[in-house]
Amino acid sequence: MTVTPLPLQTEFLFRLSLSAGAPHMATAPDARGGELRVIPVTAGRFEGPRLRGELVPGTTADWLRVEPDGTAHMDVRLVLRTDAGKTFYMHYSGIRTGAPEVLARLNRGEAVDPADYYFRIAVRFETGDPELAWLNRVLAVGIGQRPPGGPVYDIYAIR
């Protein structure tokens, strides 16, 4: 029996731009599993066709595990508030990897073409707000880039 793959359909939700503070080193670079950095996310804004607003300050951090080759595994939890005052929680995990020289440039804060590295995230949402309840039933993915000002993600719902 031949099984035909089902098409993957997405819907653009929003672009999320974040600013990060100085990392707190939780483990050393040679630690089991790589270096663990806890990085506060200090500000952010999201904008899309159905959702727009800002990061709720003081609610967010990135637990970033960095392998010796520079590959980064992120675990980020944040609270977002829409311009209408509605809040929702967003959790994402992801990976950023590429050639060693590209990752070294990113780590130095240089501008690097996003086509030169792989940066993807898997996203879940939670909210108690009735108007945003549809987010509780969405799996989403994001494509990231790391300009010098902080990470930027284009977030898509999987339909």
Side-chain angles (χ1 to χ4, degrees), residues 107-118:
N107 285 333
R108 288 192 301 268
E110 295 178 21
V112 178
D113 185 336
D116 291 346
Y117 55 97
Y118 181 86

Side-chain angles (χ1 to χ4, degrees), residues 68-141:
D69 71 355
T71 296
H73 301 269
M74 59 247 13
D75 178 4
V76 180
R77 296 145 197 269
L78 35 83
V79 176
L80 300 172
R81 181 185 304 118
T82 69
D83 287 345
K86 315 248 178 229
T87 59
F88 62 97
Y89 167 76
M90 178 178 168
H91 171 247
Y92 64 88
S93 59
I95 186 168
R96 185 180 69 221
T97 193
E101 62 276 4
V102 170
L103 296 178
R105 290 178 55 213
L106 284 170
N107 285 333
R108 288 192 301 268
E110 295 178 21
V112 178
D113 185 336
D116 291 346
Y117 55 97
Y118 181 86
F119 192 179
R120 304 293 186 268
I121 62 172
V123 182
R124 291 298 308 263
F125 303 102
E126 288 183 40
T127 186
D129 188 283
E131 289 182 35
L132 297 177
W134 60 273
L135 285 170
N136 294 325
R137 296 178 294 280
V138 168
L139 287 175
V141 294

Side-chain angles (χ1 to χ4, degrees), residues 9 43 127 154 156:
Q9 297 176 356
T127 186
D154 291 322
Y156 297 85

Side-chain angles (χ1 to χ4, degrees), residues 37-57:
R37 304 172 189 166
V38 180
I39 304 167
V41 180
T42 57
R45 181 104 188 122
F46 61 98
E47 297 201 23
R50 295 172 66 184
L51 295 166
R52 65 181 30 138
E54 64 187 4
L55 177 85
V56 176

